[in-house]
Amino acid sequence: MTKNTTPRALAVEALTRVANGAYSNLQLEQTLESHNLSDVDRRFVTNLVYGTIQHQLTLEYYLDGFIKPNQKVLPWVKMTLLVALYQELYLDRVPKRAIFNEAIQLAKDRGHEGIRRFVTGVLHAIDRQGLPDLSQIKDPTKRLSLEYSVPEWLVTAIQQQVGDDKALSILATINQPAAQSVRVNTAVATPETVAQSLTDQGYTVTPSVVASNAFRLDDKAANQSNVFETGELTIQDESAMLPVEALQVRPGDQVLDACAAPGGKTTQIAALLDAHSGGKVTALDLHAKKVNLIEANAKRLHVADRVDSVALDARKINDKFPKKQFDRILVDAPCSGLGLIRRKPEIRYEKSAQDIQQLQRVQLDILATVSEKLKPNGILVYSTCTILDTENADVAAKFLAAHPDFESMRVKTALDVKADRTTDTLNIYPDDFDSDGFFVSAFRKKK
């Protein structure tokens, strides 16, 4: 797109692609891998990309005040201005001169003289006039939406679900950097040996308070460690480990992972199984490419002998498996992903209230279909990486109402997370433990 390969130019390029539909995490990874950047520059590009997306509604609100109504602005030009605004507002250590000079230079390199003058004019107008005070916005929902860069419908939904105070706490958390967490692969290693190896390699290792056999790592990326290369650990959020804990897997169980890609939970299940005792996890995904990813992860983590992967829509499972085949079933369902906003910040802008209702129908369809494959007294776990009741508690309640042969179970986790809760289900909000938002429910099939 441009010969300018400064960190700011690379960030603008990545953001423009994300605006056209690319996933931020994948686009950023591709950008970083295709350019030989120093560690400092890699961190700067990452900061610019994620930070601009996280605050996009806020930045666009400010920028709109300096652009004439109905004026057409090329996407990359808009991103150039948003990146400059983000730096000026949120990065204290970046000099204003550097921000302005690089934005104007990028406009000159990629565009024509008119674009350069436009970018220059907008930046200098912002500098002269200043930005409006968000606290003066009278509509409280709109004010929170712009302060935290979250769509108004989502602000309202969270407030209605958890109350104003908890909603504020969640909103204040979701724009913070996500923690780096890993799961020890107990099929081939112990937490003690992995922790010692990581410490010897210069990592700061902190045991998780959310999930067992898990650590938080600081100082450098987990995939740079030798224990990642040997398959002794894998990268996985702490909250995402809880659904498998709730399954209460036994070594000889037949387990179905109905929505399995990329295989994090599949391999977590497999590590609990004993192939010699007949233990097996059958992993389904709709797309063949994603099934290949499951298989690659199982191989890397040395549990391929306990994993059968199948390209299949979980709603069409009747064509493949007989009833009452599985001791345990995990439905980590397709969802809005709103618990992952810190890792995939653009998600908040891509979903609507109507999307959530449509997802609920898909989730209930999957549950209804796979539940027939569970043995009597077997356990079915339903989980999502979202924080909205429409996809979580409401789905659990509707499933139970439609399936009297199932009963609710209290979700049990190894570290007894949220032991004082009054519900069988388990909600993890991003501000609870500084982890991803997650929901876990469990059901037992009556004899």
Short mmCIF file of all heavy atoms in Angstrom, two decimals, residues 181-186 188-189 194-195 197-198 201 203 213 215 217 222-236 300-302:
data_model
loop_
_atom_site.label_atom_id
_atom_site.label_comp_id
_atom_site.label_asym_id
_atom_site.label_seq_id
_atom_site.Cartn_x
_atom_site.Cartn_y
_atom_site.Cartn_z
N SER A 181 -1.68 -15.53 29.45
CA SER A 181 -1.78 -16.71 30.30
C SER A 181 -1.53 -17.97 29.48
O SER A 181 -1.75 -18.01 28.28
CB SER A 181 -3.15 -16.78 30.98
OG SER A 181 -4.18 -16.88 30.01
N VAL A 182 -1.07 -19.00 30.17
CA VAL A 182 -0.74 -20.27 29.53
C VAL A 182 -1.27 -21.42 30.37
O VAL A 182 -1.45 -21.31 31.58
CB VAL A 182 0.79 -20.43 29.34
CG1 VAL A 182 1.32 -19.37 28.40
CG2 VAL A 182 1.52 -20.39 30.68
N ARG A 183 -1.51 -22.53 29.70
CA ARG A 183 -1.91 -23.77 30.38
C ARG A 183 -0.81 -24.80 30.24
O ARG A 183 -0.31 -25.05 29.12
CB ARG A 183 -3.22 -24.31 29.79
CG ARG A 183 -3.62 -25.69 30.32
CD ARG A 183 -4.96 -26.14 29.81
NE ARG A 183 -5.05 -26.17 28.36
CZ ARG A 183 -4.61 -27.17 27.60
NH1 ARG A 183 -3.99 -28.22 28.15
NH2 ARG A 183 -4.75 -27.12 26.28
N VAL A 184 -0.44 -25.41 31.34
CA VAL A 184 0.54 -26.49 31.31
C VAL A 184 -0.11 -27.73 30.71
O VAL A 184 -1.23 -28.11 31.08
CB VAL A 184 1.07 -26.79 32.73
CG1 VAL A 184 2.01 -27.99 32.70
CG2 VAL A 184 1.76 -25.57 33.31
N ASN A 185 0.58 -28.36 29.78
CA ASN A 185 0.08 -29.59 29.17
C ASN A 185 0.43 -30.76 30.07
O ASN A 185 1.54 -31.32 30.00
CB ASN A 185 0.70 -29.77 27.78
CG ASN A 185 0.23 -31.04 27.11
OD1 ASN A 185 -0.78 -31.65 27.51
ND2 ASN A 185 0.95 -31.47 26.08
N THR A 186 -0.48 -31.13 30.94
CA THR A 186 -0.21 -32.17 31.94
C THR A 186 -0.08 -33.55 31.33
O THR A 186 0.25 -34.50 32.05
CB THR A 186 -1.31 -32.18 33.01
OG1 THR A 186 -2.60 -32.33 32.37
CG2 THR A 186 -1.30 -30.88 33.81
N VAL A 188 2.27 -34.24 29.34
CA VAL A 188 3.72 -34.48 29.20
C VAL A 188 4.57 -33.72 30.21
O VAL A 188 5.79 -33.88 30.22
CB VAL A 188 4.19 -34.09 27.77
CG1 VAL A 188 3.54 -34.99 26.73
CG2 VAL A 188 3.88 -32.63 27.47
N ALA A 189 3.96 -32.89 31.06
CA ALA A 189 4.75 -32.07 31.97
C ALA A 189 3.96 -31.78 33.24
O ALA A 189 2.74 -32.01 33.32
CB ALA A 189 5.15 -30.76 31.30
N VAL A 194 7.50 -26.88 34.50
CA VAL A 194 7.30 -25.83 33.51
C VAL A 194 7.57 -24.46 34.12
O VAL A 194 8.22 -23.60 33.50
CB VAL A 194 5.87 -25.89 32.93
CG1 VAL A 194 5.56 -24.65 32.08
CG2 VAL A 194 5.70 -27.15 32.08
N ALA A 195 7.09 -24.24 35.35
CA ALA A 195 7.32 -22.96 36.01
C ALA A 195 8.81 -22.70 36.20
O ALA A 195 9.30 -21.58 35.98
CB ALA A 195 6.60 -22.93 37.36
N SER A 197 11.29 -23.96 34.41
CA SER A 197 11.89 -23.72 33.11
C SER A 197 11.62 -22.29 32.62
O SER A 197 12.52 -21.62 32.11
CB SER A 197 11.36 -24.72 32.09
OG SER A 197 11.93 -24.51 30.82
N LEU A 198 10.40 -21.82 32.79
CA LEU A 198 10.05 -20.46 32.38
C LEU A 198 10.83 -19.42 33.19
O LEU A 198 11.32 -18.43 32.65
CB LEU A 198 8.55 -20.24 32.54
CG LEU A 198 7.65 -20.97 31.55
CD1 LEU A 198 6.20 -20.90 32.00
CD2 LEU A 198 7.80 -20.38 30.14
N GLN A 201 14.25 -19.01 32.02
CA GLN A 201 14.33 -18.30 30.74
C GLN A 201 14.01 -16.81 30.87
O GLN A 201 13.95 -16.10 29.87
CB GLN A 201 13.37 -18.93 29.73
CG GLN A 201 13.74 -20.36 29.35
CD GLN A 201 12.67 -21.00 28.49
OE1 GLN A 201 12.41 -20.57 27.36
NE2 GLN A 201 12.01 -22.02 29.03
N TYR A 203 11.23 -15.37 32.44
CA TYR A 203 9.83 -14.98 32.58
C TYR A 203 9.48 -14.73 34.04
O TYR A 203 10.04 -15.37 34.95
CB TYR A 203 8.91 -16.09 32.06
CG TYR A 203 8.90 -16.27 30.57
CD1 TYR A 203 9.81 -17.12 29.96
CD2 TYR A 203 7.99 -15.60 29.76
CE1 TYR A 203 9.82 -17.31 28.58
CE2 TYR A 203 7.98 -15.78 28.38
CZ TYR A 203 8.89 -16.64 27.80
OH TYR A 203 8.89 -16.81 26.44
N ASN A 213 -3.35 -25.57 36.84
CA ASN A 213 -2.30 -25.86 35.85
C ASN A 213 -2.09 -24.69 34.89
O ASN A 213 -1.79 -24.89 33.70
CB ASN A 213 -2.64 -27.13 35.05
CG ASN A 213 -2.86 -28.33 35.94
OD1 ASN A 213 -2.11 -28.56 36.88
ND2 ASN A 213 -3.91 -29.09 35.66
N PHE A 215 -0.65 -20.43 34.35
CA PHE A 215 0.18 -19.33 34.82
C PHE A 215 -0.09 -18.07 34.01
O PHE A 215 -0.53 -18.15 32.86
CB PHE A 215 1.68 -19.66 34.66
CG PHE A 215 2.14 -20.88 35.39
CD1 PHE A 215 2.57 -21.99 34.70
CD2 PHE A 215 2.14 -20.92 36.78
CE1 PHE A 215 3.01 -23.12 35.37
CE2 PHE A 215 2.57 -22.05 37.46
CZ PHE A 215 3.00 -23.15 36.75
N LEU A 217 2.15 -14.94 32.49
CA LEU A 217 3.55 -14.68 32.17
C LEU A 217 3.74 -13.21 31.82
O LEU A 217 2.92 -12.62 31.13
CB LEU A 217 4.01 -15.53 30.99
CG LEU A 217 3.89 -17.05 31.13
CD1 LEU A 217 4.48 -17.72 29.91
CD2 LEU A 217 4.57 -17.55 32.40
N ALA A 222 4.98 -15.85 25.30
CA ALA A 222 5.06 -17.24 25.71
C ALA A 222 5.55 -18.16 24.60
O ALA A 222 6.24 -19.16 24.85
CB ALA A 222 3.69 -17.71 26.20
N ASN A 223 5.23 -17.82 23.35
CA ASN A 223 5.63 -18.71 22.26
C ASN A 223 7.11 -18.64 21.93
O ASN A 223 7.59 -19.34 21.05
CB ASN A 223 4.79 -18.45 21.00
CG ASN A 223 4.93 -17.04 20.47
OD1 ASN A 223 5.73 -16.24 20.97
ND2 ASN A 223 4.14 -16.72 19.45
N GLN A 224 7.84 -17.79 22.65
CA GLN A 224 9.30 -17.73 22.49
C GLN A 224 10.02 -18.69 23.45
O GLN A 224 11.24 -18.82 23.37
CB GLN A 224 9.80 -16.30 22.74
CG GLN A 224 9.29 -15.29 21.73
CD GLN A 224 9.75 -13.87 22.04
OE1 GLN A 224 10.51 -13.63 22.97
NE2 GLN A 224 9.28 -12.91 21.25
N SER A 225 9.27 -19.35 24.30
CA SER A 225 9.89 -20.24 25.30
C SER A 225 10.13 -21.63 24.72
O SER A 225 9.41 -22.07 23.82
CB SER A 225 8.99 -20.36 26.53
OG SER A 225 7.80 -21.06 26.21
N ASN A 226 11.11 -22.32 25.27
CA ASN A 226 11.38 -23.67 24.77
C ASN A 226 10.29 -24.65 25.17
O ASN A 226 10.04 -25.64 24.48
CB ASN A 226 12.76 -24.17 25.24
CG ASN A 226 12.89 -24.25 26.76
OD1 ASN A 226 11.94 -24.00 27.49
ND2 ASN A 226 14.07 -24.58 27.23
N VAL A 227 9.59 -24.40 26.28
CA VAL A 227 8.52 -25.31 26.68
C VAL A 227 7.28 -25.16 25.81
O VAL A 227 6.44 -26.06 25.75
CB VAL A 227 8.15 -25.13 28.18
CG1 VAL A 227 9.18 -25.78 29.07
CG2 VAL A 227 7.97 -23.67 28.53
N PHE A 228 7.16 -24.03 25.12
CA PHE A 228 6.11 -23.93 24.10
C PHE A 228 6.49 -24.77 22.90
O PHE A 228 5.67 -25.51 22.35
CB PHE A 228 5.91 -22.47 23.69
CG PHE A 228 4.86 -22.28 22.63
CD1 PHE A 228 3.52 -22.14 22.97
CD2 PHE A 228 5.20 -22.26 21.28
CE1 PHE A 228 2.55 -21.98 21.99
CE2 PHE A 228 4.24 -22.10 20.30
CZ PHE A 228 2.91 -21.96 20.65
N GLU A 229 7.74 -24.68 22.50
CA GLU A 229 8.21 -25.44 21.33
C GLU A 229 8.08 -26.94 21.56
O GLU A 229 7.78 -27.69 20.63
CB GLU A 229 9.66 -25.08 21.02
CG GLU A 229 9.85 -23.64 20.54
CD GLU A 229 11.30 -23.31 20.27
OE1 GLU A 229 12.14 -24.22 20.42
OE2 GLU A 229 11.59 -22.15 19.91
N THR A 230 8.30 -27.40 22.78
CA THR A 230 8.24 -28.83 23.08
C THR A 230 6.83 -29.31 23.40
O THR A 230 6.62 -30.51 23.63
CB THR A 230 9.15 -29.17 24.27
OG1 THR A 230 8.73 -28.41 25.42
CG2 THR A 230 10.60 -28.86 23.96
N GLY A 231 5.87 -28.40 23.41
CA GLY A 231 4.49 -28.80 23.67
C GLY A 231 4.16 -28.99 25.14
O GLY A 231 3.14 -29.59 25.48
N GLU A 232 5.00 -28.46 26.01
CA GLU A 232 4.73 -28.59 27.44
C GLU A 232 3.74 -27.54 27.95
O GLU A 232 3.22 -27.66 29.05
CB GLU A 232 6.04 -28.51 28.23
CG GLU A 232 6.98 -29.67 27.95
CD GLU A 232 8.33 -29.47 28.62
OE1 GLU A 232 8.38 -29.54 29.86
OE2 GLU A 232 9.32 -29.24 27.90
N LEU A 233 3.52 -26.52 27.16
CA LEU A 233 2.47 -25.55 27.49
C LEU A 233 1.83 -25.02 26.23
O LEU A 233 2.37 -25.15 25.13
CB LEU A 233 3.02 -24.39 28.35
CG LEU A 233 4.06 -23.42 27.81
CD1 LEU A 233 3.46 -22.43 26.81
CD2 LEU A 233 4.68 -22.63 28.96
N THR A 234 0.67 -24.42 26.40
CA THR A 234 -0.03 -23.79 25.29
C THR A 234 -0.62 -22.48 25.77
O THR A 234 -0.87 -22.31 26.97
CB THR A 234 -1.12 -24.71 24.72
OG1 THR A 234 -1.63 -24.16 23.51
CG2 THR A 234 -2.26 -24.89 25.71
N ILE A 235 -0.83 -21.56 24.85
CA ILE A 235 -1.39 -20.26 25.20
C ILE A 235 -2.91 -20.36 25.26
O ILE A 235 -3.54 -20.77 24.28
CB ILE A 235 -0.95 -19.20 24.18
CG1 ILE A 235 0.58 -19.08 24.18
CG2 ILE A 235 -1.59 -17.85 24.50
CD1 ILE A 235 1.13 -18.26 23.03
N GLN A 236 -3.48 -20.01 26.38
CA GLN A 236 -4.93 -20.09 26.56
C GLN A 236 -5.33 -19.17 27.71
O GLN A 236 -4.63 -19.11 28.73
CB GLN A 236 -5.35 -21.55 26.87
CG GLN A 236 -6.83 -21.80 26.86
CD GLN A 236 -7.17 -23.28 27.05
OE1 GLN A 236 -6.27 -24.12 27.23
NE2 GLN A 236 -8.44 -23.62 27.01
N ARG A 300 1.09 -31.12 18.21
CA ARG A 300 2.12 -30.34 18.91
C ARG A 300 2.12 -30.63 20.40
O ARG A 300 3.18 -30.63 21.04
CB ARG A 300 1.88 -28.84 18.69
CG ARG A 300 2.97 -27.95 19.26
CD ARG A 300 2.70 -26.48 19.03
NE ARG A 300 1.68 -25.98 19.93
CZ ARG A 300 1.90 -25.61 21.19
NH1 ARG A 300 3.12 -25.70 21.71
NH2 ARG A 300 0.93 -25.14 21.94
N LEU A 301 0.93 -30.91 20.96
CA LEU A 301 0.81 -31.14 22.39
C LEU A 301 0.82 -32.64 22.74
O LEU A 301 0.50 -33.01 23.88
CB LEU A 301 -0.47 -30.48 22.91
CG LEU A 301 -0.48 -28.95 22.78
CD1 LEU A 301 -1.83 -28.38 23.16
CD2 LEU A 301 0.61 -28.32 23.64
N HIS A 302 1.17 -33.47 21.78
CA HIS A 302 1.40 -34.90 22.01
C HIS A 302 0.15 -35.65 22.51
O HIS A 302 0.26 -36.60 23.29
CB HIS A 302 2.55 -35.09 23.02
CG HIS A 302 3.76 -34.26 22.73
ND1 HIS A 302 4.61 -34.51 21.67
CD2 HIS A 302 4.24 -33.13 23.33
CE1 HIS A 302 5.57 -33.59 21.64
NE2 HIS A 302 5.37 -32.75 22.64
#
